[in-house]
Amino acid sequence: MGACEKASQWQVALDLFEAMPQQRLLRDVVGVGNAICAMTKGGSWQGALQLLKTMQQEAVELDTVVCNSCLSACANAARWQEALDLLKLMTDKKLPKTTPTCNSVVRALESGGEHRRAVAVLLHEFVDEEVPDECVRPSMFRTARPSQITSQLRRSIAERLERHLDFAFQSDSGSIASPRPRGPEQTLPPRPVVAVAAKEVGSTQIAPCPFWCTEEASQALEALLAPLRPSEWNREVPFAAELKAALPAAYSDAQVVPYGSIISRFAARDADADFSLLPSDPRQGQGRHVQQRVLVEWRRGLLSRGHDCSAIGLGGRVPVLTLRWGPSKSRTADVTIGNHLGIYKSLLLREYSLLDERLCDLVLAVKRWAKLRQISGQTRGYPGGYAWTLICIAFAQCKASPSVVPSLQALAEPEIWEEDGQRYNVAWKSAEAMHRCDAATWTSASLLYAFFEFFSERFDFLNDSASVRLGCHAVNASRFRYSSSSPRLSLEDPIETDWDLGHILSAQRLCRLRAELRRAVRRLRGAPDGCLEAVFQARGRKSPR
């Protein structure tokens, strides 16, 4: 039953469940749990609840995993009333409420448009608690195991609900044309829209600061960046060949492609790597459960070859296989299937990295600064390395005078890539076909100082938007969707142009980020040999100045 359910053969799993009494087999909590999971994947929330009732009638003891499976079925169908009834049942039975419990209940309420009720449930029904080991059912997928509800999880869900409440409030007040979602057929936008528009009049640009164009400043920055520069650029290529050698036989003709910062030349030394499997037949990589199956088989082949593989990420929305590799297994590699958009984004950034070495220095320095000051990483609620790279490129395009790099997308004829019914422009001009911009007055050190000065003192967080695609001063044309009096970082993804990468920042985190930018400018106005050390001081340690 478990094998059939994981292979999406949910009807076969239910037939086996119905045949258990005929074979004089006891239907225990594991069997009923597999049947409920099959019902969930079959889209039958009524069947899942009926099986739960049967389980109670046959005096089978409930556990957290079974209840979580029923909650997932209710969440998929936006049955929030039934989800609340199940939550009450778990409270009455004193069953531990875990991370999947919290996520499913909140998701059911969100799908039903009950965001205020979701906030109340989150605050009163879920507390930080340890989960006893006896309620954990063995599984290779982390999402199938009960896990602790942390205060960080509760805060992140609360912030998301608050954003939806702001959206609903504006809908009710008539400031937004689209109606507020009320039923399961209507859902909120999966991602906030940035919708930037070019604005060529009144743009603010920065000229190089003579103080930071000196040889002394360049040497101070080079001393900082030298330990971070990658020692080998092509180390990922032979590892990709090792990954391909362990593929299942059915995928022997597929490609294993590295992507991410490791190919864009914006990565620090020994940075994590990303690889994606591109099957020759695109249908082979479609569907989450198909991807899970392929990665499980791939993992067996890698284990047999002595690789250190973790299956923790296989239960996520996008299944990920994680490996340790490199000298002393010090590097991490994430392997996915069919991540075409990620590859396109990485190739675009690679072309920008080939345009000018000073841009690589700027990105490397800013990403290092953000990491040391603890304002980087989506798990922390801050922009990730990809977002910081785009911010640096957007600055070098239109805020530095003269410009360091142009917009490669604006110079190319459109080329459309279709995926999941969406159309994306994946065309850009290559770095080889470009002439070097006349920006000889800029040095890497002066670019870094100008970056901090611009975003701390001149960037309009109420109206401006950073857009690598446009390559010029841009404003956020969709800011009416949110409170116009609240500063926010608007950052457009150059490929998925409806994705606002800066919306991950809450108001509190944006204040912290802007404070760090101002701190950097204050210290950079000192002598170059000492102020760089103060700027790149790890947060929590005493500054040398």
Side-chain angles (χ1 to χ4, degrees):
M1 287 175 59
C4 293
E5 176 260 322
K6 287 182 176 61
S8 298
Q9 299 293 330
W10 58 274
Q11 188 59 54
V12 180
L14 292 177
D15 293 341
L16 289 171
F17 178 75
E18 294 295 336
M20 288 182 70
Q22 301 175 6
Q23 301 294 330
R24 297 182 180 180
L25 296 175
L26 179 64
R27 297 201 289 201
D28 58 1
V29 64
V30 177
V32 178
N34 283 327
I36 290 177
C37 288
M39 281 288 188
T40 301
K41 292 183 178 179
S44 176
W45 62 272
Q46 302 97 327
L49 294 181
Q50 183 60 43
L51 284 174
L52 187 66
K53 185 180 294 186
T54 302
M55 188 176 180
Q56 294 176 280
Q57 293 173 350
E58 296 182 3
V60 179
E61 185 178 358
L62 293 176
D63 70 355
T64 300
V65 175
V66 170
C67 292
N68 286 346
S69 298
C70 289
L71 285 171
S72 180
C74 294
N76 293 339
R79 306 298 301 187
W80 60 271
Q81 297 94 338
E82 288 77 4
L84 292 181
D85 291 339
L86 275 173
L87 186 64
K88 183 177 183 302
L89 177 64
M90 294 182 69
T91 302
D92 295 339
K93 296 287 186 180
K94 296 183 180 180
L95 296 176
K97 299 168 186 175
T98 63
T99 298
T101 312
C102 181
N103 288 332
S104 296
V105 172
V106 172
R107 187 158 56 91
L109 289 163
E110 284 184 290
S111 300
E114 297 291 331
H115 298 92
R116 297 186 186 278
R117 194 186 300 268
V119 172
V121 169
L122 181 67
L123 295 177
H124 297 97
E125 295 292 339
F126 296 100
V127 296
D128 302 345
E129 58 183 353
E130 296 290 341
V131 179
D133 293 337
E134 56 267 20
C135 76
V136 178
R137 197 171 72 206
S139 171
M140 69 181 304
F141 299 133
R142 181 173 63 178
T143 52
R145 302 202 305 262
S147 55
Q148 181 182 1
I149 298 175
T150 63
S151 56
Q152 181 181 3
L153 172 69
R154 295 172 71 243
R155 284 196 302 268
S156 64
I157 294 178
E159 289 171 0
R160 186 178 80 241
L161 292 172
E162 288 172 0
R163 291 196 298 269
H164 287 319
L165 283 174
D166 292 339
F167 181 90
F169 174 78
Q170 295 178 28
S171 298
D172 292 339
S173 62
S175 60
I176 298 180
S178 57
R180 177 183 176 182
R182 292 293 184 183
E185 292 80 12
Q186 298 173 312
T187 58
L188 289 170
R191 292 184 303 213
V193 177
V194 62
V196 300
K199 180 183 178 183
E200 299 181 359
V201 180
S203 61
T204 304
Q205 292 184 313
I206 296 181
C209 176
F211 184 75
W212 283 92
C213 292
T214 62
E215 185 65 25
E216 180 186 6
S218 297
Q219 291 177 357
L221 181 62
E222 180 60 28
L224 177 73
L225 296 181
L228 304 178
R229 300 189 190 279
S231 54
E232 298 179 25
W233 287 113
N234 297 321
R235 192 187 302 174
E236 290 75 20
V237 175
F239 185 68
E242 294 181 34
L243 292 176
K244 184 174 181 180
L247 277 171
Y251 292 84
S252 57
D253 57 346
Q255 293 181 311
V256 179
V257 181
Y259 69 99
S261 59
I262 57 171
I263 70 167
S264 66
R265 299 177 67 240
F266 289 134
R269 180 177 300 179
D270 297 331
D272 295 341
D274 298 286
F275 298 87
S276 185
L277 173 68
L278 301 181
S280 56
D281 183 359
R283 293 174 297 179
Q284 288 183 305
Q286 292 181 352
R288 175 173 174 269
H289 302 295
V290 174
Q291 294 177 2
Q292 283 180 336
R293 270 206 315 275
V294 175
L295 290 176
V296 167
E297 295 179 18
W298 198 355
R299 178 174 179 264
R300 292 172 186 158
L302 290 169
L303 289 174
S304 65
R305 294 172 179 265
H307 290 281
D308 184 3
C309 306
S310 172
I312 285 179
L314 292 180
R317 182 180 63 87
V318 177
V320 178
L321 186 66
T322 303
L323 299 89
R324 306 292 300 184
W325 67 294
S328 304
K329 305 292 183 181
S330 59
R331 299 184 65 180
T332 300
D334 290 337
V335 181
T336 57
I337 296 179
N339 192 354
H340 294 277
L341 288 178
I343 294 173
Y344 279 123
K345 294 175 186 179
S346 303
L347 293 176
L348 173 61
L349 295 188
R350 179 172 176 81
E351 294 301 321
Y352 278 109
S353 70
L354 295 172
L355 280 175
D356 202 303
E357 288 297 329
R358 293 169 297 180
L359 179 61
C360 295
D361 292 343
L362 175 65
V363 173
L364 196 62
V366 169
K367 288 171 63 175
R368 179 63 174 173
W369 164 78
K371 183 177 181 180
L372 289 173
R373 301 306 300 171
Q374 299 179 13
I375 54 173
S376 177
Q378 295 185 18
T379 56
R380 293 177 176 266
Y382 289 97
Y386 174 63
W388 280 113
T389 301
L390 293 178
I391 294 174
C392 292
I393 296 175
F395 167 78
Q397 284 176 332
C398 59
K399 304 307 177 186
S401 178
S403 298
V404 179
V405 293
S407 171
L408 298 179
Q409 291 173 283
L411 298 173
E413 294 295 327
E415 179 182 339
I416 303 302
W417 165 266
E418 294 191 14
E419 182 174 307
D420 297 332
Q422 301 292 325
R423 295 165 61 86
Y424 307 97
N425 181 15
V426 293
W428 53 82
K429 200 166 184 178
S430 67
E432 294 182 6
M434 295 295 301
H435 296 289
R436 186 181 180 88
C437 295
D438 185 16
T441 54
W442 284 104
T443 64
S444 298
S446 60
L447 268 179
L448 180 63
Y449 174 77
F451 173 88
F452 286 123
E453 182 186 4
F454 175 79
F455 281 103
S456 64
E457 300 176 356
R458 308 193 190 189
F459 186 78
D460 186 356
F461 284 88
L462 282 175
N463 301 306
D464 287 353
S465 181
S467 173
V468 172
R469 173 180 60 91
L470 297 176
C472 61
H473 187 206
V475 294
N476 183 3
S478 67
R479 64 181 183 275
F480 64 88
R481 288 179 175 269
Y482 311 98
S483 174
S484 59
S485 61
S486 300
R488 53 187 298 270
L489 175 62
S490 177
L491 175 61
E492 182 196 46
D493 187 283
I495 304 294
E496 296 179 89
T497 55
D498 64 338
W499 188 2
D500 186 352
L501 291 164
H503 196 263
I504 189 174
L505 279 168
S506 64
Q508 181 179 4
R509 295 192 185 98
L510 179 60
C511 290
R512 161 88 189 287
L513 186 146
R514 297 179 69 179
E516 290 291 345
L517 288 168
R518 291 191 294 268
R519 171 189 177 274
V521 170
R522 289 196 303 269
R523 282 155 176 76
L524 286 176
R525 285 177 177 149
D529 57 345
C531 63
L532 280 175
E533 289 184 35
V535 170
F536 288 86
Q537 183 74 27
R539 181 174 172 82
R541 297 182 182 178
K542 187 176 180 180
S543 176
R545 293 179 62 87

